[in-house]
Amino acid sequence: MADQQNTGGVTMPSKPPPWNDPVVRSIVFQIVALILLAWFFWTIFQNTLTNMETRGISTGFAFLNREAGFGILMSLIEYDESHTYGRTFVVGLLNTILVSVLGIIIATILGFVMGVARLSDNWIVARLASIYVETLRNIPLLLQLFFWYTAVLQALPGPRSSLKLSENIYLNNRGLNIPKPIFQDGFEFVWIALLVAIAGIFVLRRWATKRLDETGHTFPVFWTSVGLFIGLPLLVFLIMGLPLNFEVARATRFSLSGGANLIPEFIALLIGLSTYTAAFIAEIVRAGILAVSHGQTEAARSLGLRHGQTLQLIVIPQAMRVIIPPLTSQYLNLTKNSSLAAAIAYPDLVSVFAGTTLNQAGQALEIIGMVMAVYLSLSLGISFLMNLYNKKMALVER
Amino acid sequence: MTDSNWQPAPSLPPPAATVGWIGWVRANLISSFSNSVLTVVLGVAIIYYGWQILDWALFSADFAGVDQKDCESSGACWVFIRSRLDFFIYGFYPNAEIWRINVMFGLLAVLIIPHFFEGFKHKKLFGWLLITAFPVVSGILLLGGILGLEPVETDKWGGLALTLVLAFVGIVAALPLGILLALGRRSDMPIIRGICVCFIELWRGVPLISVLFMASVMLPLFLPEGVNFNKLLRALIGITMFQSAYMAEVVRGGLQAIPKGQYEAAAALGLGYWKSMRLIILPQALKLVIPGIVNTFIGLFKDTTLVLIIGLFEVLQTMNTSITDPAWSNVAVEGYVFAGAVFWVFCYAMSKYSQALERKLHTGHKR
Amino acid sequence: MSDASTTESNSNDLAIQMIDVNKWYGEFHVLKNIDLNVSRGERIVICGPSGSGKSTTIRCINRLEEHQRGQIIVDGTELTNDLKNIEIIRREVGMVFQHFNLFPHLTVLENLVLAPMRVRNIPRAEAEKTGMEYLERVKIPEQAQKFPGQLSGGQQQRVAIARSLCMNPRIMLFDEPTSALDPEMIKEVLDTMIELAETGMTMLCVTHEMGFAKTVADRVIFMDGGEIVEENEPNEFFDNPQHERTRLFLSQILAH
């Protein structure tokens, strides 16, 4: 029969005609898709080149070496108008990193507190935390940023009538003015002492665990660590003769001069980002703690473990497995949301580079490409790390 | 020893100190010393600040009047809101044509409100109308130019009407695209899968602002000479691309939740790929992820505010311009509180709906 | 048969004394006038229909549930809101749960040594030695480095029993220890419990396993509607139930 083929005595199923063969169809389909995609990108590419020529926009990254010619409100590194566009990229990037890292730290602490508070025995505490979460989660972040920036910070008095929060700390509509630390000779030893203290804490922990194993006695590691962290650098500081001065603000005719100034844009962005993300983190923490079955707590308590021990050894390790993946997601969101700085003129990466530099240099393709590349690599990098962490932490099952 | 005359004991009421509101207070407010201290401190703070807020918002506030002069007291100046309300809702839409936006609002209400009622029979029909006929009808209504309606250019659109247009078109366009991407990501063909993964991860990894900048600045460069999209269309394209990536992940979650047996049964019945997707898999998957879709919509609704950065006058921007209008001073707090309240009402209602749906679907999906 | 509830007033011989214990969940009167005395070394089985309050009764003994009226005295210490007393009692009372409640993020051995190290401050080496001894007694020493998720239900419950024993309790409470197990694993857990009983441990078991009750129990208690209906030594209890309700219950569970 024509349907069978004999290959050396073994009967194989016959091959269908190519247009019905799923393997062939799949390959053809994919090739067609690739061709369509390539054509699509090619057309866009051609259009872009033509349009850029017509409008007199140059290409290439040479513009990064041209002089910027504009000032930036806040910079962690040396910067003025004579620096290059490339430098504006770095300044913007550092500002983004600064507000993101600080935002993540504050949001995490606030979020954990709120999440635990929602589970509190005290009805008032639980309700207040719920109101916090439900309010901030349902209002757009941009609106909250405007609120903090416009309604709160700009309503502050001018420099001449600053609010005095405490000795040498002033709050006005130019920002928060705090004493600027001026490190003098000998302060390096204090930094070294800090590093030594941190190393010492690790050594202390290992020694305490070993001692617990051998003798069964627990050691107050936490408070000793705190003491070491603060005490050792403080001791060195005193020994070196207090090598630290502060430049404080003095009132001049029109404003305050001196001190270190945190601009209101930065403060507004930081407060807005932190409080908003904390609301989402609170829900994640609450879900994580609830995910640990009550039987675990009951078993731990009936073995005689105290409340604090149960939390530390049984509940929190299990809750963290549930908390960490969505928590990382929120960290990424915070970092991406920091780009809203453009709306309140905080000089982050988008606002400086994809804003001012783009307007002046005109090379939209390269600039927006660079900006998206930064965020993309950050996202992918953190996703990758989180996948590794997830695999490592998964509960071992049969 | 057992007593043969044993009778079951009656059920007694609990000791008075443990139930009723006394019991509740003892358990929830003063169960321990630290708890009691907390209750007292917080209680005092709530009463003190709560009173001040109420005073500002209600008792000392100004409700009647037309302009700044009517806002003399130390309370909230709600006159500001009342006089600018039309701007917040309709933007720059010509006064004579506002009835068209009202018709659109009316249609929206008619299509959405019945969903909140348990026994309503035509939920599915109304759902379909909401994502197919409604956008088309609204588009015609707002744009005009045909059927005897005056044409109104898109740069006159603004306020709450614009916000709703952006959010709605965003979701309606992102949903089919997201479904295709989700299917593609689960495909056996490596090239298709690769393309979809790259597309999804690209849009999910970058902030929406950069997408909007891209749409606003780079899109004109991509298009052949002469073709130009207006600002609104560019924003919509950017939003759609962005949302489709998140929608794809939501739909993918639904597809993964369908047991393999369903795919196998569909194949065994002789249904090809597209037929089994359309008739068997997708209806189940989409129903499963309706809460996720609603959550994405809530996110999109909040994200529409970002378009003000590229110059569109959605509701937050109308508030901003009103606040900085020289005819009014010191109304920033009132403005943002009102705008925040409007968003909050929408988003909270949607999230409650999504939670209720999730509870309902969870119980119906016992496996 | 000794009548522990009337003559023995010397509390030194009594492991557990429950005097007129009443408990409410909100308005619902879940435990009514529970009077129960357990002597040292006694083995008690509590049975009854679901919702009868038997689990609640034993959970009151280690304060997993609070009683609103009456007295509970464990090993001479009265159980009140006083945290110190509660901790003392929990060290001497071990509990085995229906759903095992092993700590999934720790290995089997770590599960066993956690409480001895942290509560009784026993050095790790000694705690591990004790742990391995108990693992051998429950016949699964080779599982020491595995995680609970890798064990079968019966193995997990045996680890749970060993975990409680590592604290050297004077009293063991069992809350339906075999109800969550597949039938073929019930025997291994019951055998472990029988062996434990033979060492003279004071045991209070809530269970439906009547064979176990007949083998091991000194007394069987039947609870219904939140109160103790009948108690007797096993033979009398099964052959001569005194009350209608007891008869009904026995006919239902002994039928199949």
Side-chain angles (χ1 to χ4, degrees):
Chain A
M1 293 275 309
D3 282 345
Q4 288 179 343
Q5 304 171 18
N6 277 325
T7 27
V10 175
T11 318
M12 304 282 288
S14 61
K15 282 184 129 263
W19 53 88
N20 270 340
D21 185 346
V23 177
V24 171
R25 280 170 68 152
S26 142
I27 296 183
V28 167
F29 189 70
Q30 292 180 74
I31 294 183
V32 167
L34 268 180
I35 293 180
L36 277 176
L37 205 64
W39 172 83
F40 179 69
F41 280 125
W42 175 252
T43 324
I44 291 192
F45 186 62
Q46 289 295 86
N47 282 340
T48 316
L49 282 182
T50 328
N51 283 327
M52 283 171 73
E53 232 181 84
T54 332
R55 297 171 203 210
I57 305 175
S58 44
T59 59
F61 288 93
F63 76 97
L64 287 173
N65 287 323
R66 296 217 305 270
E67 187 180 298
F70 63 90
I72 300 182
L73 261 182
M74 174 179 139
S75 171
L76 287 177
I77 56 178
E78 281 283 320
Y79 178 83
D80 59 53
E81 298 86 25
S82 65
H83 284 104
T84 61
Y85 283 133
R87 197 150 176 107
T88 65
F89 177 79
V90 176
V91 171
L93 185 57
L94 285 177
N95 283 342
T96 294
I97 293 177
L98 175 69
V99 80
S100 301
V101 167
L102 285 179
I104 285 177
I105 294 175
I106 299 178
T108 307
I109 298 175
L110 192 56
F112 268 81
V113 166
M114 282 296 165
V116 171
R118 271 195 88 161
L119 296 169
S120 164
D121 282 336
N122 187 311
W123 184 84
I124 297 185
V125 170
R127 280 300 129 253
L128 283 178
S130 293
I131 292 178
Y132 174 90
V133 169
E134 288 303 327
T135 311
L136 293 191
R137 283 200 323 164
N138 287 312
I139 299 182
L141 176 57
L142 196 52
L143 199 158
Q144 296 185 40
L145 285 180
F146 281 132
F147 175 77
W148 290 114
Y149 185 56
T150 317
V152 176
L153 284 161
Q154 288 192 346
L156 290 170
R160 275 197 284 169
S161 26
S162 309
L163 294 175
K164 195 166 173 183
L165 290 184
S166 83
E167 200 56 45
N168 290 325
I169 298 184
Y170 300 100
L171 189 60
N172 54 49
N173 62 14
R174 300 267 185 89
L176 180 67
N177 192 302
I178 57 178
K180 182 168 160 181
I182 301 182
F183 303 112
Q184 300 180 316
D185 281 338
F187 200 83
E188 317 80 79
F189 291 104
V190 180
W191 292 126
I192 294 178
L194 193 64
L195 288 174
V196 168
I198 294 180
I201 291 177
F202 281 106
V203 169
L204 181 72
R205 284 185 58 161
R206 288 188 53 176
W207 172 82
T209 316
K210 196 149 166 285
R211 182 166 175 266
L212 175 68
D213 282 357
E214 282 171 5
T215 68
H217 289 123
T218 48
F219 187 80
V221 174
F222 181 67
W223 291 114
T224 321
S225 306
V226 168
L228 200 60
F229 189 70
I230 297 180
L232 190 62
L234 188 62
L235 190 63
V236 172
F237 181 63
L238 289 171
I239 292 178
M240 296 302 300
L242 312 165
L244 183 65
N245 265 342
F246 285 99
E247 182 189 303
V248 299
R250 281 164 291 111
T252 63
R253 233 171 6 129
F254 293 113
S255 70
L256 291 173
S257 152
N261 203 38
L262 296 173
I263 55 176
E265 291 81 0
F266 174 75
I267 300 177
L269 187 60
L270 190 59
I271 295 180
L273 276 178
S274 312
T275 51
Y276 182 75
T277 313
F280 290 87
I281 293 182
E283 280 303 278
I284 293 173
V285 167
R286 184 175 80 115
I289 295 181
L290 287 178
V292 180
S293 94
H294 198 233
Q296 291 288 301
T297 317
E298 290 187 342
R301 306 293 261 129
S302 48
L303 281 170
L305 288 171
R306 285 185 290 280
H307 187 70
Q309 288 174 320
T310 309
L311 268 182
Q312 180 200 350
L313 298 168
I314 306 297
V315 175
I316 291 185
Q318 294 187 60
M320 288 311 272
R321 280 156 210 270
V322 180
I323 289 176
I324 301 265
L327 186 67
T328 323
S329 219
Q330 284 305 318
Y331 288 168
L332 274 176
N333 280 346
L334 190 149
T335 312
K336 286 188 285 178
N337 281 337
S338 70
S339 56
L340 265 63
I344 58 170
Y346 172 75
D348 82 312
L349 180 63
V350 169
S351 162
V352 163
F353 199 60
T356 324
T357 303
L358 177 59
N359 277 334
Q360 292 190 197
Q363 300 198 216
L365 219 54
E366 290 85 350
I367 290 179
I368 296 197
M370 283 170 75
V371 170
M372 286 172 90
V374 164
Y375 282 104
L376 199 55
S377 29
L378 207 61
S379 294
L380 292 178
I382 297 194
S383 296
F384 177 70
L385 285 175
M386 197 188 56
N387 278 332
L388 282 183
Y389 176 85
N390 255 351
K391 284 209 181 75
K392 184 167 157 258
M393 278 295 169
L395 288 175
V396 183
E397 307 199 338
R398 35 166 76 207
Chain B
M1 204 62 324
T2 45
D3 174 10
S4 309
N5 297 325
W6 177 92
Q7 292 292 326
S11 281
L12 297 172
T18 61
V19 281
W21 66 271
I22 300 180
W24 183 88
V25 167
R26 286 187 62 168
N28 288 314
L29 295 179
I30 53 177
S31 59
S32 69
F33 179 67
S34 51
N35 230 357
S36 312
V37 168
L38 218 52
T39 302
V40 167
V41 167
L42 287 175
V44 167
I46 289 177
I47 294 177
Y48 179 67
Y49 288 112
W51 179 257
Q52 298 205 319
I53 293 178
L54 270 182
D55 184 58
W56 174 86
L58 286 179
F59 305 137
S60 305
D62 297 301
F63 288 94
V66 282
D67 56 30
Q68 181 72 54
K69 294 200 296 303
D70 297 308
C71 276
E72 292 296 296
S73 71
S74 58
C77 184
W78 298 125
V79 183
F80 167 64
I81 304 291
R82 287 185 61 191
S83 79
R84 305 292 284 180
L85 197 57
D86 278 349
F87 186 45
F88 298 148
I89 302 181
Y90 304 111
F92 299 107
Y93 217 75
N95 265 324
E97 311 295 324
I98 283 190
W99 62 269
R100 286 149 63 173
I101 296 191
N102 287 333
V103 168
M104 180 184 86
F105 282 151
L107 279 176
L108 189 63
V110 162
L111 284 177
I112 288 198
I113 292 184
H115 280 94
F116 285 94
F117 292 101
E118 271 295 314
F120 185 63
K121 294 276 171 41
H122 303 286
K123 281 194 189 168
K124 212 162 155 208
L125 172 67
F126 273 39
W128 272 112
L129 285 177
L130 195 62
I131 59 178
T132 50
F134 175 70
V136 173
V137 169
S138 308
I140 295 177
L141 269 176
L142 259 57
L143 273 172
I146 61 173
L147 295 181
L149 294 167
E150 277 287 313
V152 179
E153 285 146 32
T154 57
D155 52 3
K156 291 233 172 31
W157 298 9
L160 194 57
L162 180 59
T163 298
L164 282 173
V165 165
L166 284 166
F168 237 84
V169 174
I171 277 289
V172 165
L175 190 53
L177 193 51
I179 293 176
L180 285 176
L181 284 169
L183 289 175
R185 190 166 180 167
R186 284 170 58 89
S187 161
D188 290 325
M189 299 184 266
I191 306 236
I192 304 291
R193 202 170 55 231
I195 296 175
C196 290
V197 167
C198 284
F199 185 91
I200 294 175
E201 291 304 319
L202 172 67
W203 298 114
R204 280 188 358 137
V206 293
L208 179 54
I209 279 203
S210 61
V211 173
L212 288 174
F213 273 15
M214 201 185 88
S216 150
V217 171
M218 282 164 72
L219 206 55
L221 294 175
F222 291 162
L223 299 172
E225 278 223 29
V227 178
N228 206 6
F229 289 163
N230 65 40
K231 240 196 263 178
L232 178 60
L233 195 51
R234 283 183 243 162
L236 280 174
I237 292 179
I239 288 180
T240 304
M241 293 289 119
F242 186 75
Q243 281 301 125
S244 64
Y246 287 87
M247 192 64 82
E249 287 298 279
V250 170
V251 172
R252 188 167 79 108
L255 290 172
Q256 277 179 319
I258 307 288
K260 209 152 152 265
Q262 291 292 308
Y263 294 91
E264 292 175 350
L269 283 169
L271 295 168
Y273 179 78
W274 290 108
K275 278 230 178 71
S276 57
M277 281 301 152
R278 193 166 58 87
L279 298 169
I280 311 286
I281 306 295
L282 279 177
Q284 295 185 57
L286 290 178
K287 185 167 162 221
L288 264 182
V289 298
I290 290 181
I293 295 181
V294 175
N295 283 341
T296 312
F297 185 75
I298 297 176
L300 175 55
F301 193 70
K302 294 189 295 179
D303 282 344
T304 56
T305 49
L306 267 68
V307 300
L308 65 84
I309 298 186
I310 56 170
L312 286 168
F313 269 82
E314 50 67 62
V315 68
L316 186 54
Q317 185 67 335
T318 59
M319 184 59 73
N320 277 335
T321 42
S322 303
I323 289 177
T324 52
D325 188 321
W328 295 95
S329 61
N330 237 339
V331 286
V333 176
E334 287 88 336
Y336 291 130
V337 165
F338 179 73
V342 168
F343 271 105
W344 189 87
V345 166
F346 274 99
C347 293
Y348 189 70
M350 287 193 278
S351 76
K352 281 294 156 204
Y353 176 68
S354 157
Q355 282 171 17
L357 255 186
E358 206 158 359
R359 270 194 299 270
K360 204 170 77 145
L361 289 177
H362 231 79
T363 54
H365 198 83
K366 288 260 164 61
R367 280 202 265 143
Chain C
M1 57 218 116
S2 57
D3 185 1
S5 54
T6 52
T7 53
E8 306 293 330
S9 53
N10 184 353
S11 59
N12 279 338
D13 281 343
L14 282 178
I16 304 175
Q17 264 180 298
M18 294 176 82
I19 303 171
D20 195 30
V21 172
N22 279 275
K23 179 179 170 56
W24 285 265
Y25 278 137
E27 293 286 332
F28 177 52
H29 197 178
V30 61
L31 290 182
K32 304 176 185 169
N33 314 323
I34 302 287
D35 282 296
L36 176 61
N37 287 335
V38 181
S39 308
R40 287 204 199 297
E42 242 196 308
R43 285 98 58 166
I44 312 250
V45 165
I46 305 181
C47 62
S50 69
S52 56
K54 29 187 220 302
S55 285
T56 313
T57 306
I58 67 169
R59 283 159 65 93
C60 282
I61 297 176
N62 69 351
R63 204 64 171 178
L64 287 180
E65 303 278 357
E66 279 179 35
H67 59 283
Q68 275 89 24
R69 197 186 285 167
Q71 277 185 309
I72 301 182
I73 302 173
V74 177
D75 223 23
T77 313
E78 184 174 352
L79 196 53
T80 58
N81 269 329
D82 187 340
L83 276 177
K84 221 161 163 14
N85 282 355
I86 297 178
E87 283 177 15
I88 294 173
I89 289 172
R90 283 183 174 158
R91 255 175 267 168
E92 303 303 329
V93 175
M95 185 162 212
V96 176
F97 298 85
Q98 183 177 351
H99 295 289
F100 336 133
N101 287 337
L102 292 180
F103 305 132
H105 59 299
L106 303 174
T107 62
V108 162
L109 191 57
E110 282 167 355
N111 262 276
L112 297 181
V113 304
L114 179 71
M117 284 176 63
R118 298 285 178 157
V119 180
R120 290 202 193 274
N121 294 340
I122 297 176
R124 177 178 285 271
E126 196 185 315
E128 285 190 355
K129 186 158 159 296
T130 316
M132 288 307 295
E133 278 170 16
Y134 279 113
L135 272 185
E136 284 185 26
R137 265 181 65 177
V138 300
K139 305 209 176 42
I140 40 173
E142 71 282 357
Q143 308 288 353
Q145 297 305 329
K146 295 254 182 79
F147 286 89
Q150 296 172 290
L151 269 54
S152 75
Q155 290 171 323
Q156 287 191 51
Q157 193 62 299
R158 285 187 277 159
V159 170
I161 295 175
R163 178 177 69 174
S164 298
L165 291 175
C166 280
M167 283 293 283
N168 272 323
R170 316 258 275 248
I171 302 168
M172 283 287 279
L173 305 173
F174 291 84
D175 187 358
E176 305 214 31
T178 55
S179 299
L181 294 174
D182 290 335
E184 63 269 18
M185 295 192 246
I186 294 182
K187 181 177 184 308
E188 65 195 55
V189 173
L190 288 181
D191 285 342
T192 311
M193 289 165 70
I194 293 173
E195 261 187 55
L196 183 61
E198 283 164 9
T199 66
M201 171 72 75
T202 314
M203 290 166 66
L204 210 56
C205 292
V206 172
T207 182
H208 296 297
E209 296 293 326
M210 295 299 122
F212 173 76
K214 283 195 195 162
T215 316
V216 147
D218 294 316
R219 254 193 296 161
V220 179
I221 296 179
F222 174 67
M223 281 183 72
D224 193 5
E227 33 183 348
I228 296 179
V229 179
E230 192 170 330
E231 58 186 294
N232 225 328
E233 57 101 27
N235 290 330
E236 273 295 306
F237 182 85
F238 289 113
D239 297 336
N240 253 341
Q242 300 277 333
H243 287 109
E244 195 51 46
R245 291 216 203 152
T246 323
R247 280 194 279 268
L248 183 61
F249 176 71
L250 285 177
S251 69
Q252 282 169 335
I253 65 162
L254 292 177
H256 56 284

